[in-house]
Amino acid sequence: MIIEIRRQNLTGSSALPGVVYIDGQKYAYSLENQNYKIPSGSYDLYLQDSPKFGKVKLYVKVSGRDGIMFHGGQNAEDTKGCILIGSNRFDSERIQGDKSDDLAALVLARAKAGEGVVLKVRDQISPYILTAAAGIVAIIFLSRTI
């Protein structure tokens, strides 16, 4: 199972919205605090009891950091490195409808079935970068045909 967070453009001072996909299908919305976000990349996940929440939560293995988990919340001030996950988005800076327990249950079921689970976090690519990259490809192509 691949859980993918596709980050969108930064809004406000610290709200970093995203969309969560599971195996390519839209699942939920995410929100991170830009000041504490984990780097984009691939991560292993694990389930563990959370002393703060008093139940099993889904955690992200991030090198050099502990306690990074999926949990509910409404805005960027509700997290210092964790990933907020919700079923609805008010706007680009607020979400609601905690989906973290549902996601943990889904991961547990897939793991019990012997399926591997990985998290991929991707930053949005700026349209300016895409335009520049297309221009570079065009220049390379033209220089080879001349």
Side-chain angles (χ1 to χ4, degrees):
M1 177 168 93
I2 297 172
I3 301 170
E4 181 180 9
I5 296 175
R6 296 180 192 166
R7 290 175 173 152
Q8 299 171 326
N9 288 328
L10 179 67
T11 62
S13 60
S14 62
L16 183 59
V19 180
V20 179
Y21 293 84
I22 296 181
D23 294 333
Q25 300 295 313
K26 184 177 174 183
Y27 179 75
Y29 296 97
S30 66
L31 193 66
E32 298 171 80
N33 187 315
Q34 169 68 20
N35 301 318
Y36 303 102
K37 71 178 184 176
I38 63 175
S40 60
S42 295
Y43 297 93
D44 290 328
L45 302 168
Y46 62 99
L47 296 163
Q48 181 175 310
D49 285 325
S50 163
K52 179 177 180 178
F53 291 98
K55 55 184 157 183
V56 172
K57 299 301 265 184
L58 182 61
Y59 287 81
V60 184
K61 289 183 183 178
V62 180
S63 180
R65 295 177 67 182
D66 292 324
I68 305 298
M69 74 171 88
F70 285 90
H71 65 79
Q74 291 190 337
N75 57 52
E77 289 75 35
D78 292 337
T79 179
K80 291 205 170 141
C82 294
I83 302 165
L84 305 180
I85 182 168
S87 56
N88 299 303
R89 174 175 282 150
F90 284 119
D91 53 36
S92 60
E93 296 189 24
R94 297 178 298 156
I95 62 173
Q96 70 172 10
D98 182 2
K99 294 278 287 180
S100 63
D101 292 340
D102 295 341
L103 183 60
L106 182 59
V107 167
L108 178 60
R110 298 275 184 101
K112 283 183 176 180
E115 189 173 340
V117 181
V118 67
L119 171 67
K120 293 186 178 188
V121 179
R122 299 179 191 266
D123 292 324
Q124 182 176 26
I125 298 174
S126 166
Y128 300 111
I129 293 171
L130 290 176
T131 302
I136 291 168
V137 169
I139 291 168
I140 292 169
F141 176 76
L142 289 173
S143 68
R144 290 186 180 175
T145 58
I146 296 178

